């Protein structure tokens, strides 16, 4: 390569003397975006490395904990989703088991990272649904702060919620009901969420001035696994449906 | 292997036609010599938002089902390394989180695999902080490549001195300057998980680093590994904004928004030249590739006739 570079340098010098222009490199660019699909053979040296990790992981992940009657899809766009409803309905039950006065559950649709398949639900499914190291937090907030939160929910075209129903028109919340009752700004409300959102994650507003905060120390994922195992033990399946708790009004 | 290939045909054709004109006009004796010189090609490969996707996506009806997998990526990269002399492999962040491999093994598998694939550099995505700075450090020694974090100041944290602002690679006498820009973690990551880290404005940092790479270190190609995100409806810094607000960046390798681009976006930068912005979906479903081809013969024409029509779309 050295001689090549030298020819190049010599050429450059000649040209520099021949012209007064500053030499400028001209890059022609070619681009390809390769799809990695099954036409590419797996590199066995790489597979061999991760096999022991995979085996350990699978033995922990493949344990069946419950059953879902439907395929529960998630959404990053729509106002309501099956996976979202399952998630917050479970949270509300968990919240009530910690503090019986818990009325509302609030999560974030961007935080639900996988669908739940119809059929057997494994530990691994819950890991993929909720991979984050987040902990349940129960907050007591004022009615005014709850309204602020509900406007955030409307502005982001709906978030997973339980205990609240609302309609969204032009990014504004309307017809808000808290457990079928009108919201009372003089009251306080107990809401279960997780530390990430309680700390203002994903630009959530309305949760930063709680009258009381209970950091439960329960990992969301383990809370969900425990909830599903209890359902199964009681002979129940997951039968979440869309119920129009958050509706878009044209 | 389905290859989503895009060639910048328009500029290629323009190159050809200008070359023809140049040859007809030129009587310079050194031209023959110039034509005999072969292309220099710098091949850039890149991933982003792999999110602990060690194995291919499961066949679950999702958009990326059956795609990806580190072992296949390794095969493809090795094949390209056999075909091309000057290959650089980069990642634009969010290596961690998304499969139980991360939750069970805390990043050991991801970083070891990236080292086995011989990544040349990476940058941090917001999910690199999911287990806090301490969690990120747990298996940090498994990474045999540098992390370029130009707008994250870790000097008051346990990561002090463990990342770099930029790195210069030399291939075939060509200098490639690479730096990294991270997204504002405020609102994305719990504050306690990056306590002590100072965030700097990415555009201001780029305006400071790019001249250093170009003027001081004479880099021929400048690449930014970005976890800012491709573009936003709201008023927020993104790759498209970064490209338009700066000059001298040849290529922004993006991440964060999991954007699948069939071909890189050409953005007119502050100098009126083109900065390319590319992003390769997520989960390692796509491997991005950009070849920078330098032909000394073409260069002769440019200098001789100062005809910049040919490179009006090239930095």
């Amino acid at each position: 390569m050295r001689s090549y570079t030298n020819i190049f340098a010599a050429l450059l010098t000649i040209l520099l003397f021949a012209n007064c222009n500053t030499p400028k490199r001209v890059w022609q660019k070619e681009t390809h975006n390769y799809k990695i699909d099954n036409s590419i053979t797996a590199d066995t040296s790489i597979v061999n490395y991760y096999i022991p990790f995979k085996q350990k992981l699978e033995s922990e992940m493949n344990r069946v904990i419950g059953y879902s009657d439907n395929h529960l899809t998630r959404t990053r766009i729509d106002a309501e989703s099956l996976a979202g409803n399952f998630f917050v309905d479970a949270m509300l039950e968990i919240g009530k088991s910690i503090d019986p006065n818990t009325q509302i559950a609030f999560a974030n649709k961007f935080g639900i990272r996988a669908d739940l398949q119809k059929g057997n639900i494994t530990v691994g499914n819950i890991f993929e649904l909720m991979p984050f190291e987040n902990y349940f937090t129960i907050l007591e907030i004022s009615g005014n702060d709850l309204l602020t939160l509900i406007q955030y929910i409307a502005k982001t075209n709906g978030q997973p919620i339980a205990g609240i129903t609302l309609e969204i028109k032009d990014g504004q919340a309307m017809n808000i009901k808290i457990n079928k009752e009108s919201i009372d700004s003089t009251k306080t409300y107990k809401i279960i969420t997780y530390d990430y959102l309680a700390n203002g994650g994903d630009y959530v507003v309305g949760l930063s001035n709680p009258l009381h905060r209970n950091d439960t120390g329960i990992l969301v994922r383990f809370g969900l696994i425990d909830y599903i195992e209890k359902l199964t033990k009681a002979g129940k399946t997951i039968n979440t449906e869309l119920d129009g708790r958050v509706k878009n009004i044209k | 292997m389905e290859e989503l290939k895009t060639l910048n045909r328009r500029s290629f054709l323009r190159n050809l036609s200008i070359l023809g004109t140049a040859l007809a006009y030129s009587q310079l004796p050194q031209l023959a010599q110039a034509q005999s010189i072969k292309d220099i090609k710098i091949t850039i490969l890149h991933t982003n938002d792999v999110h602990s996707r060690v194995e291919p996506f499961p066949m679950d009806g999702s958009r990326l089902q059956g795609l990806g997998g580190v072992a296949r990526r390794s095969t493809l990269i090795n094949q390209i390394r056999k075909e091309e002399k000057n290959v650089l492999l980069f990642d634009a962040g969010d290596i961690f989180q998304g499969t139980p491999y991360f939750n069970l093994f805390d990043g050991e598998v991801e970083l070891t695999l990236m080292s086995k694939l011989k990544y040349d550099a990476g940058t941090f995505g917001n999910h690199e902080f999911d287990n806090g700075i301490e969690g990120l450090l747990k298996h940090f020694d498994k990474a045999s490549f540098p992390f370029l974090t130009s707008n994250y100041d870790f000097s008051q944290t346990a990561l002090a001195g463990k990342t770099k602002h930029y790195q210069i690679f030399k291939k075939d006498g060509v200098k490639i300057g690479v730096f990294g820009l991270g997204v504002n973690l405020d609102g994305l990551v719990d504050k306690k998980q990056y306590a002590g880290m100072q965030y700097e404005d990415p555009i201001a940092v780029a305006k400071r680093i790019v001249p250093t790479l170009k003027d001081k270190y004479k880099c021929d190609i400048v690449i930014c590994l970005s976890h800012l995100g491709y573009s936003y409806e709201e008023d927020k810094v993104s790759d498209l904004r970064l490209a338009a607000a700066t000059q001298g960046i040849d290529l922004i390798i993006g991440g964060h928004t999991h954007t699948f681009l069939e071909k890189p976006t050409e953005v007119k930068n502050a100098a009126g030249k083109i900065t390319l912005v590319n992003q390769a979906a997520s989960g390692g479903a796509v491997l991005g590739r950009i070849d920078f081809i330098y032909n000394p013969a073409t260069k002769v024409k440019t200098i001789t006739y100062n005809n910049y029509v040919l490179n009006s779309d090239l930095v």
Side-chain angles (χ1 to χ4, degrees):
Chain A
M1 216 45 236
R2 178 182 286 270
S3 61
Y4 172 63
T5 314
N6 285 346
I7 293 168
F8 173 56
L11 180 63
L12 244 185
T13 316
I14 293 164
L15 286 164
L16 271 174
F17 280 102
N19 299 272
C20 295
N21 292 322
T22 312
K24 196 171 171 88
R25 285 193 160 160
V26 181
W27 296 102
Q28 185 189 329
K29 296 165 202 170
E30 284 185 21
T31 64
H32 320 237
N33 284 341
Y34 296 99
K35 215 180 232 182
I36 311 275
D37 60 21
N38 60 10
S39 67
I40 305 171
T41 318
D43 179 342
T44 48
S45 73
I46 296 296
V47 176
N48 289 343
Y49 162 75
Y50 69 68
I51 281 282
F53 291 96
K54 181 182 162 80
Q55 285 167 345
K56 196 172 161 195
L57 184 148
E58 282 180 348
S59 68
E60 292 188 54
M61 293 299 145
N62 290 342
R63 191 164 59 88
V64 175
I65 52 171
Y67 187 91
S68 177
D69 299 342
N70 303 309
H71 179 120
L72 307 183
T73 48
R74 70 191 191 285
T75 183
R76 289 173 82 99
I77 299 155
D78 299 341
E80 188 190 355
S81 78
L82 285 164
N85 286 1
F86 160 72
F87 193 62
V88 284
D89 289 349
M91 280 173 67
L92 189 56
E93 286 305 308
I94 294 161
K96 282 177 177 167
S97 73
I98 300 164
D99 182 337
N101 295 323
T102 309
Q103 297 155 281
I104 299 162
F106 165 68
N108 183 295
K109 56 186 171 187
F110 304 113
I112 298 173
R113 303 301 266 220
D115 292 358
L116 272 189
Q117 306 298 311
K118 180 182 172 173
N120 284 338
I121 300 298
T122 63
V123 172
N125 295 146
I126 304 304
F127 262 85
E128 300 217 344
L129 177 89
M130 182 58 193
F132 307 113
E133 310 300 303
N134 294 155
Y135 296 86
F136 285 122
T137 301
I138 297 174
L139 303 170
E140 186 176 355
I141 62 172
S142 71
N144 271 330
D145 280 351
L146 181 57
L147 265 173
T148 306
L149 175 70
I150 289 168
Q151 290 305 344
Y152 164 87
I153 291 166
K155 212 178 138 203
T156 52
N157 195 38
Q159 295 291 349
I161 44 168
I164 307 177
T165 56
L166 69 131
E167 293 170 353
I168 304 169
K169 192 176 182 190
D170 303 325
Q172 294 291 312
M174 297 164 52
N175 208 3
I176 303 160
K177 301 280 182 208
I178 313 298
N179 295 311
K180 295 179 182 151
E181 286 176 24
S182 296
I183 189 164
D184 184 343
S185 59
T186 62
K187 269 189 174 174
T188 66
Y189 294 88
K190 279 196 174 172
I191 177 165
I192 180 168
T193 185
Y194 34 92
D195 54 349
Y196 171 76
L197 296 175
N199 295 344
D202 276 321
Y203 316 104
V204 168
V205 286
L207 300 180
S208 54
N209 297 302
L211 291 101
H212 183 259
R213 172 168 172 155
N214 175 10
D215 282 298
T216 65
I218 299 168
L219 207 54
V220 173
R221 189 164 52 236
F222 291 145
L224 291 176
I225 291 168
D226 186 55
Y227 166 79
I228 296 168
E229 284 181 322
K230 277 180 184 153
L231 275 185
T232 306
K233 214 171 270 177
K236 291 179 188 166
T237 58
I238 298 164
N239 56 3
T240 309
E241 286 179 3
L242 294 177
D243 52 20
R245 59 184 79 182
V246 187
K247 261 191 247 169
N248 273 304
I249 305 294
K250 297 290 170 201
Chain B
M1 171 177 55
E2 186 189 337
E3 188 181 310
L4 303 168
K5 182 179 169 181
T6 58
L7 173 69
N8 195 337
R9 285 177 210 286
R10 224 168 56 136
S11 77
F12 181 66
L13 291 175
R14 228 183 295 162
N15 267 322
L16 279 183
S17 65
I18 299 289
L19 178 65
T21 317
L23 280 171
Y25 277 91
S26 176
Q27 300 299 321
L28 291 174
Q30 61 266 31
L31 263 182
Q33 197 180 7
Q35 282 171 279
S36 71
I37 295 174
K38 280 192 287 183
D39 287 348
I40 299 173
K41 196 195 246 184
I42 307 294
T43 301
I44 308 296
L45 303 178
H46 63 92
T47 52
N48 56 276
D49 300 279
V50 178
H51 281 297
S52 307
R53 193 56 62 181
V54 173
E55 298 169 75
F57 281 94
M59 300 302 290
D60 61 359
S62 63
R63 199 168 56 90
L64 300 174
Q65 67 173 347
L67 297 180
V70 183
R72 289 179 188 161
R73 190 157 85 238
S74 174
T75 301
L76 177 59
I77 290 165
N78 287 336
Q79 187 189 317
I80 295 167
R81 284 197 177 114
K82 270 184 211 153
E83 292 163 2
E84 305 294 346
K85 191 176 161 207
N86 306 310
V87 178
L88 286 169
L89 174 61
F90 299 122
D91 184 83
D94 276 6
I95 294 163
F96 292 162
Q97 197 69 272
T99 73
Y101 277 98
F102 177 68
N103 311 99
L104 254 65
F105 309 115
D106 305 319
E108 178 182 358
V109 180
E110 294 90 326
L111 293 176
T112 305
L113 286 171
M114 287 177 79
S115 301
K116 284 180 181 290
L117 265 58
K118 300 189 180 67
Y119 270 79
D120 290 286
T123 193
F124 289 156
N126 43 303
H127 286 293
E128 265 64 80
F129 298 92
D130 279 7
N131 287 340
I133 285 176
E134 291 305 318
L136 178 50
L137 280 168
K138 191 169 175 186
H139 294 291
F140 206 65
D141 59 339
K142 306 292 189 303
S144 62
F145 53 92
F147 281 97
L148 311 177
T149 57
S150 315
N151 67 325
Y152 288 167
D153 177 358
F154 290 115
S155 58
Q156 303 304 309
T157 74
L159 267 167
K162 294 188 190 295
T163 66
K164 291 182 172 182
H165 287 286
Y166 54 81
Q167 174 102 340
I168 295 160
F169 299 90
K170 216 170 168 183
K171 296 272 180 189
D172 250 358
V174 175
K175 281 185 179 175
I176 304 108
V178 186
F179 68 109
L181 294 175
V183 66
N184 191 347
L185 299 179
D186 187 17
L188 281 175
V189 182
D190 204 318
K191 279 189 170 53
K192 67 179 186 294
Q193 299 185 179
Y194 61 98
M197 188 271 266
Q198 294 295 316
Y199 175 79
E200 291 181 73
D201 175 59
I203 290 175
V205 169
K207 283 181 175 169
R208 192 175 71 223
I209 284 186
V210 177
T212 307
L213 293 172
K214 284 196 96 74
D215 303 335
K216 190 177 171 195
Y217 294 106
K218 309 289 178 203
C219 288
D220 301 287
I221 299 174
V222 172
I223 296 173
C224 174
L225 307 182
S226 157
H227 202 76
L228 298 174
Y230 179 71
S231 73
Y232 300 99
E233 279 179 20
E234 63 263 40
D235 183 23
K236 202 162 129 184
V237 65
S238 64
D239 291 339
L240 294 188
R241 287 194 179 195
L242 169 72
T246 57
Q247 59 186 72
I249 304 175
D250 296 274
L251 170 65
I252 297 170
I253 294 173
H256 191 52
T257 41
H258 299 196
T259 308
F260 172 59
L261 297 174
E262 289 211 358
K263 59 175 186 176
T265 307
E266 298 185 1
V267 181
K268 198 176 198 184
N269 67 30
K273 307 262 175 82
I274 293 296
T275 293
L276 289 183
V277 176
N278 205 20
Q279 199 174 139
S282 67
V286 174
L287 180 73
R289 172 173 176 170
I290 291 163
D291 291 294
F292 287 86
I293 302 154
Y294 169 59
N295 190 306
T298 312
K299 178 169 153 291
V300 173
K301 306 307 160 288
T302 311
I303 292 168
T304 309
Y305 302 104
N306 201 11
N307 191 344
Y308 284 92
V309 178
L310 151 108
N311 34 327
S312 64
D313 56 348
L314 304 169
V315 174

